[in-house]
Amino acid sequence: MIQANDPKIRSWVEVPSDSDFPIQNLPFGVFRTPGLSPRICTAIGHYVADLQVLAEHGFFDDLGVPRHVFARPYLNDFIALGKDATRAVRNRIADILDDRLEDWDASELAGYFLHLRDEVQMLMPVKVGDYTDFYSSREHATNVGIMFRGKENALMPNWLHLPVGYHGRASSIVVSGTPVRRPKGQMQMEDGAPPVFGPSRLLDFELEMAFVIGRGSQLGTSVSTAEAEDYIFGMVLFNDWSARDIQRWEYVPLGPFLGKSFASTMSPWVVTLDALEPFRVEGPVQSPQPLPYLQCEGPKSFDIRLEVDIIPQSGKGKTVCQSNFRYLYWSMAQQLAHHTVNGCNLQIGDLMASGTISGPTPDSFGSMLELSWRGTKPIPMPDGSERKFLLDGDTVVMRGWSENDSGIRVGFGEAVGKILPSL
Ligand code: MN
């Protein structure tokens, strides 16, 4: 068992029962304050714990982890130490924060390494190299297929045989809290009409999760489904903002482009696969059986509850979607095996997103496109307005957490973005 996951341990730092960040989570992120340069941290209750300060006091020296990796503006160098080292650091942090262990005497240092999360600025945790977006929710692909092609041809012939994906744009991935400017572009207002140019009218969110690559692979080699999770450092919440009108006009025949590349928002905390281990579950049964290189042994999904709120400028918002990561048809292991089956190499810091995570019921659909069924079923808001797609001033909040019988809740915090009007 991974020591930091022990459900019996408690921290001397107060952790409210509904916190995403008990001692059993210990995700990794990067923060700064007006007085402190960017550095690596973890979260505990309402606090961030500054790992650079703990490193400078020698808490990680005997683990063979160099102190300087904690004084970096990104997690990449830390992740590059490998899972044995990062797991040892996470276990050591659990020792330091554990209320039973007095060997470490870190509580005397609390004033030096703990900061209220509300008082620090969280930064992009990872320098993202390449970004890939999959399309792995059967419910989402089916809903979109019904809307655009009709019930008969809802799923394309390849969909049940491979995890469909495309190469996205890494430069416009931003950390939670960064405002998102409504994109402009070409759209066709009616079939056969000439295109017009202007601000997108059909701006949407996509409820997704993404995983961070924690180990590189060599060009020309492939990673099997059995090895795949060794290459995954951890997971984040991910909002793949989408301009449906731009997307619809441009996507033929090469797929998504400017309707997607204007912004994607990720949550600041990378939750390790180790922390998610207690919440491992089977994904949906796959039929037909995929080709051998996509077959897996054992459960490869995770029970992660997901929610999306829309908060209008008026401040009166509501939860519009409740879904779960476990609904995804294709697992991360299968996505990664497929991504590398042609010999494409992985690099530390690459990000792979799941695709919109829709569930089986209308309240679990992970985009406005589906929730409002292409604008035909507007969603009433508490302030009397209604939403078909997102309006300027709307804030979209995504949350995710796992919880089980032991009462331990391991959460991701939030991925938040507010829509600003086009310039
Ligand atoms: Mn997407």
Side-chain angles (χ1 to χ4, degrees):
M1 175 169 191
I2 302 153
Q3 191 183 332
N5 288 6
D6 181 349
K8 292 190 298 296
I9 61 175
R10 294 288 176 271
S11 178
W12 49 263
V13 179
E14 193 200 331
V15 178
S17 59
D18 60 349
S19 173
D20 281 347
F21 305 113
I23 195 169
Q24 289 81 6
N25 188 348
L26 303 180
F28 293 100
V30 176
F31 83 103
R32 75 171 173 217
T33 70
L36 295 175
S37 57
R39 69 230 3 243
I40 291 178
C41 60
T42 189
I44 181 82
H46 290 305
Y47 295 87
V48 299
D50 181 335
L51 300 185
Q52 183 181 337
V53 166
L54 290 173
E56 282 163 1
H57 281 84
F59 282 96
F60 307 121
D61 285 352
D62 64 311
L63 303 177
V65 176
R67 293 181 179 190
H68 63 82
V69 297
F70 298 100
R72 289 274 193 272
Y74 295 107
L75 290 170
N76 297 49
D77 289 349
F78 174 68
I79 294 171
L81 297 170
K83 267 204 191 191
D84 288 346
T86 56
R87 180 176 290 143
V89 168
R90 182 167 167 269
N91 284 333
R92 176 58 52 82
I93 299 166
D95 287 345
I96 293 167
L97 296 173
D98 187 336
D99 65 358
R100 294 170 309 180
L101 296 177
E102 284 151 24
D103 311 3
W104 300 101
D105 233 2
S107 58
E108 289 182 10
L109 289 171
Y112 295 99
F113 78 92
L114 291 180
H115 301 268
L116 278 169
R117 274 192 288 124
D118 288 347
E119 294 175 0
V120 306
Q121 184 188 2
M122 295 305 298
L123 304 173
M124 272 290 284
V126 175
K127 175 93 180 141
V128 179
D130 278 307
Y131 154 51
T132 299
D133 194 24
F134 285 95
Y135 190 58
S136 288
S137 158
R138 182 174 190 163
E139 290 82 358
H140 173 68
T142 303
N143 287 338
V144 174
I146 290 171
M147 277 184 262
F148 291 97
R149 285 184 299 275
K151 250 191 170 119
E152 298 305 307
N153 307 303
L155 279 187
M156 297 300 270
N158 61 2
W159 201 93
L160 292 170
H161 297 280
L162 56 84
V164 170
Y166 72 97
H167 294 292
R169 182 79 192 161
S171 68
S172 53
I173 299 176
V174 295
V175 73
S176 177
T178 309
V180 171
R181 182 76 60 188
R182 180 179 295 272
K184 291 183 287 196
Q186 281 195 30
M187 304 155 264
Q188 186 188 45
M189 309 306 277
E190 280 172 58
D191 285 347
V196 298
F197 177 83
S200 168
R201 300 173 192 204
L202 307 183
L203 184 55
D204 202 353
F205 64 81
E206 289 191 336
L207 169 62
E208 305 198 13
M209 296 196 73
F211 59 93
V212 175
I213 294 297
R215 178 177 167 186
S217 70
Q218 232 187 330
L219 184 63
T221 69
S222 306
V223 174
S224 69
T225 55
E227 305 163 309
E229 290 182 353
D230 296 340
Y231 289 77
I232 300 174
F233 177 70
M235 296 176 67
V236 294
L237 300 168
F238 198 75
N239 183 349
D240 180 29
W241 303 94
S242 299
R244 299 299 178 196
D245 36 12
I246 297 172
Q247 183 183 354
R248 185 167 179 269
W249 172 237
E250 74 177 357
Y251 86 102
V252 183
L254 286 185
F257 187 29
L258 304 182
K260 299 280 187 176
S261 63
F262 60 96
S264 313
T265 298
M266 68 188 272
S267 54
W269 296 106
V270 185
V271 176
T272 62
L273 283 200
D274 283 351
L276 293 168
E277 196 54 48
F279 311 100
R280 186 179 283 278
V281 291
E282 296 278 358
V285 175
Q286 296 187 320
S287 174
Q289 193 180 47
L291 288 167
Y293 82 92
L294 288 171
Q295 292 172 15
C296 290
E297 295 275 338
K300 288 281 185 277
S301 191
F302 295 92
D303 181 4
I304 304 169
R305 298 189 218 176
L306 300 166
E307 273 183 4
V308 182
D309 290 0
I310 295 178
I311 305 166
Q313 192 76 55
S314 69
K316 291 181 195 152
K318 72 172 192 183
T319 300
V320 296
C321 160
Q322 291 180 301
S323 188
N324 195 306
F325 182 78
R326 70 187 298 173
Y327 296 144
L328 288 173
Y329 188 86
W330 295 104
S331 67
M332 295 185 285
Q334 290 174 315
Q335 291 168 339
L336 213 149
H338 185 64
H339 205 298
T340 59
V341 76
N342 66 344
C344 174
N345 50 328
L346 303 170
Q347 294 185 307
I348 289 167
D350 288 351
L351 199 68
M352 304 204 177
S354 57
T356 306
I357 306 169
S358 294
T361 55
D363 60 349
S364 64
F365 294 168
S367 65
M368 292 302 286
L369 178 68
E370 296 161 270
L371 288 165
S372 77
W373 207 255
R374 218 176 170 180
T376 60
K377 295 180 189 169
I379 299 171
M381 298 300 290
D383 64 1
S385 63
E386 55 180 36
R387 289 294 177 283
K388 297 173 177 171
F389 290 90
L390 298 171
L391 300 183
D392 291 345
D394 284 353
T395 298
V396 177
V397 182
M398 294 182 175
R399 288 182 295 271
W401 72 96
S402 295
E403 215 162 10
N404 65 14
D405 299 341
S406 69
I408 302 297
R409 173 187 168 114
V410 167
F412 287 79
E414 293 180 337
V416 180
K418 181 175 182 175
I419 305 297
L420 302 182
S422 292
L423 285 175

